[in-house]
Amino acid sequence: WGQGDEGEKVRVTLAGQTKEGAATGGRWQVELDPLPAGGPHEMRVESAKGKRELHDVWAGEVWVLAGQSNMRWQLGRTVSVEASEAIAQADSHPRIRLFDQSYAAADTRQPDVVRGKWTVAGTRTAPEFSTVGYYFAVQLEAALDVPVGLVQTAVGGTMTRSWMSREFMARDPFLQKIPREYDAGIPAEKKRYAEQKAAFDAKAQAARDAGQRGPDMPGAIKRGPLDETSQHRPAGNYYARVAPLQPLTVRGVIWYQGESNAATNLPAFQRDDYARHLAGIIANWRADWGRDDLPFLVVQLPAFGAENLDFPLIRQQQEQAVRETKNTALIVAIDTGEADQIHPADKLPVGRRLAATALRYIASGELRTLSPLFEKATAEGGALLVGFDQVGGGLVKTQFTLPEFIGVTRGTPPDEMDLPGFEVAGEDGQYRPARAVIAGEGIRVASEEVSSPASVRYLWTGFPETSPALYTKEGQPVAPFRFPAGEVAKP
């Protein structure tokens, strides 16, 4: 697709096929027949005004990388052995390509992205690739033996409001208050920002006058006010970074976002109702893409210890959105993350789980979550029996203390050993650590301090003090949960 004068005829030739179209309203578009995976091909685009030739064109898997900074976080910024090895070996993956674009936001749907370009994976270029996206692509390329294209749209620090169109939000009684309240708050936001900026400037000037190094500029000041020009304004990123891509045929979308909506100082509807935001984004993208079954793979937030971010709640909301929205899957990442680093380096498990989910979908046509999700809790003799929607090939314990490891070597069945991370509460709502063991396809949870447990939760914290140890035999971690889901826990 592209731009042209009204009625201008355009001819596109690729891999032995030729298609023709004509510009209407300044735009032309043709649809090519499906191609087998592979390449390289040459593409020629011609009209009466001239022609363009594109070289090194390939057909294969195409996935959109969407969300915020953890999706965008690059291999070159990831300090880990896995990232270093991936960069060193990238010359062997020239069929992996990344499409990226300059940062831009807009107030209306744009016809094209700003300075978009494709990059071929290699040792020199791999540091520019999304870490999660690259790990995912390597797995897909190896399993399918096809080229893999990654289309980057993610922007760091963004909230859900910037990834839906204003037209879509206006039609939803709940979502319409997102842009309405943002717009109403602009005057106060400009005043707040001006005062904050003036205070910083004064402090910086005082340091310079004293011959000292000035303070570092806080990110909130660098970012600018949340006004009508902000990169983070409602619909801004959607109009500029997603809408122009929607004629593109893609396999699906990987969504990794939620950190910015987790802030405890936000209005409740921006955090507590995250599931409705995410469901809205999925519906909006599907409608505008013309694909009501466009797959969404949602990465659940990993472990992180900041008290001003309610990660447990957002994880629950992400799961809820997936449960209530067809053709979606949740990628559990609670066993990755760092207590004091919101951009964890351990992204290889996330990439592999994304690939496993995508490969199953490609092979079977069924997209589903591979990790067990909480299904029910049944009281039985002072304990709760916890069941899951599915457990794959079965549940296993994977982490052991030294005494437990010795016990395993001496023949003690791992299923009889305590699983960390479980808590129960009685009617008073006060949670106590619980002993949990594998019981068939579920978990038996009990505590000597709670005679009649009424509630149970698992890894319900920002950063678990103990490493998750409950997995399926296929290596998928059990998702954190709280039952009842909507309860308010007492201190």
Side-chain angles (χ1 to χ4, degrees), residues 26-76:
R27 301 281 296 171
W28 63 267
Q29 180 174 319
V30 301
E31 184 170 337
L32 296 163
D33 298 330
L35 290 172
H41 303 293
E42 308 296 316
M43 178 186 285
R44 178 180 296 174
V45 183
E46 303 173 276
S47 77
K49 290 188 174 182
K51 68 179 180 180
R52 289 189 61 186
E53 293 184 348
L54 290 82
H55 308 283
D56 197 29
V57 178
W58 293 71
E61 287 289 317
V62 181
W63 288 82
V64 177
L65 308 181
Q68 59 180 110
S69 56
N70 267 310
M71 173 57 83
R72 188 167 193 88
W73 198 259
Q74 298 163 316
L75 274 169

Side-chain angles (χ1 to χ4, degrees), residues 42 304 326 357 409 486:
E42 308 296 316
F304 183 55
K326 67 177 183 179
T357 304
T409 62

Side-chain angles (χ1 to χ4, degrees), residues 93-278:
H93 298 287
R95 294 189 301 174
I96 296 177
R97 312 290 173 98
L98 173 71
F99 181 85
D100 205 354
Q101 50 186 299
S102 296
Y103 280 100
D107 294 322
T108 58
R109 177 182 291 268
Q110 297 300 293
D112 203 355
V113 299
V114 177
R115 293 190 295 279
K117 68 171 184 177
W118 283 101
T119 297
V120 179
T123 300
R124 295 181 62 183
T125 59
E128 304 171 21
F129 280 59
S130 157
T131 305
V132 166
Y134 188 79
Y135 290 154
F136 166 79
V138 168
Q139 298 289 315
L140 249 62
E141 183 195 26
L144 301 174
D145 191 25
V146 300
V148 181
L150 304 172
V151 180
Q152 178 67 274
T153 66
V155 177
T158 46
M159 295 175 65
T160 51
R161 65 183 176 218
S162 70
W163 298 108
M164 291 178 276
S165 73
R166 281 182 175 261
E167 298 88 345
F168 181 85
M169 288 186 279
R171 294 192 296 268
D172 186 293
F174 172 78
L175 297 175
Q176 63 184 219
K177 64 184 177 182
I178 297 174
R180 184 176 66 236
E181 295 198 8
Y182 182 94
D183 295 345
I186 287 177
E189 168 65 13
K190 285 184 173 180
K191 182 176 182 294
R192 181 203 65 80
Y193 179 80
E195 293 172 349
Q196 189 178 41
K197 179 70 162 53
F200 173 80
D201 289 345
K203 189 179 295 185
Q205 185 61 51
R208 288 192 295 269
D209 292 344
Q212 301 172 351
R213 180 180 180 276
D216 293 332
M217 182 178 288
I221 294 180
K222 288 181 182 178
R223 185 172 60 238
L226 294 174
D227 59 13
E228 66 276 8
T229 67
S230 172
Q231 172 85 32
H232 304 275
R233 63 190 183 271
N237 284 298
Y238 182 77
Y239 286 142
R241 302 176 64 80
V242 179
L245 301 170
Q246 285 169 341
L248 184 65
T249 302
V250 301
R251 176 76 78 175
V253 177
I254 300 173
W255 179 260
Y256 191 164
Q257 188 275 344
E259 298 92 336
S260 290
N261 282 86
T264 55
N265 63 353
L266 288 174
F269 78 92
Q270 295 187 27
R271 179 188 61 255
D272 300 357
D273 295 302
Y274 180 89
R276 297 177 71 174
H277 295 228
L278 181 51

